[in-house]
Amino acid sequence: LSATGDPAFCTLWTLTGLPALSLPLFAGESGLPIGVQLVGGPGRDARLLRTASALISMLAPPKKRARRPRA
């Protein structure tokens, strides 16, 4: 088991030749990760990665702006 989850969950998709990835996007009340698994079409690896990137961008909490000290 790796820090990002069990790769066994992508095994079926890998065996069928489809690109797949899991994203640990949220954490439950107990602190355990809650993830989303994305599966792409044959030969659509780049599209899958773009979709994953867009999903992360949409769901990521907004970054707090650093406060600059006043002069």
Side-chain angles (χ1 to χ4, degrees):
L1 188 65
S2 71
T4 59
D6 191 338
F9 293 116
C10 288
T11 301
L12 174 65
W13 306 116
T14 301
L15 290 173
T16 61
L18 299 174
L21 53 84
S22 296
L23 302 173
L25 294 174
F26 306 104
E29 290 181 21
S30 63
L32 293 175
I34 298 173
V36 170
Q37 185 176 41
L38 301 176
V39 180
R44 305 294 285 190
D45 301 59
R47 182 176 182 180
L48 177 65
L49 292 173
R50 286 192 308 271
T51 301
S53 179
L55 184 61
I56 290 169
S57 295
M58 287 186 335
L59 297 176
K63 293 183 179 183
K64 293 181 182 179
R65 294 180 66 191
R67 295 182 71 185
R68 297 173 81 183
R70 293 186 179 184

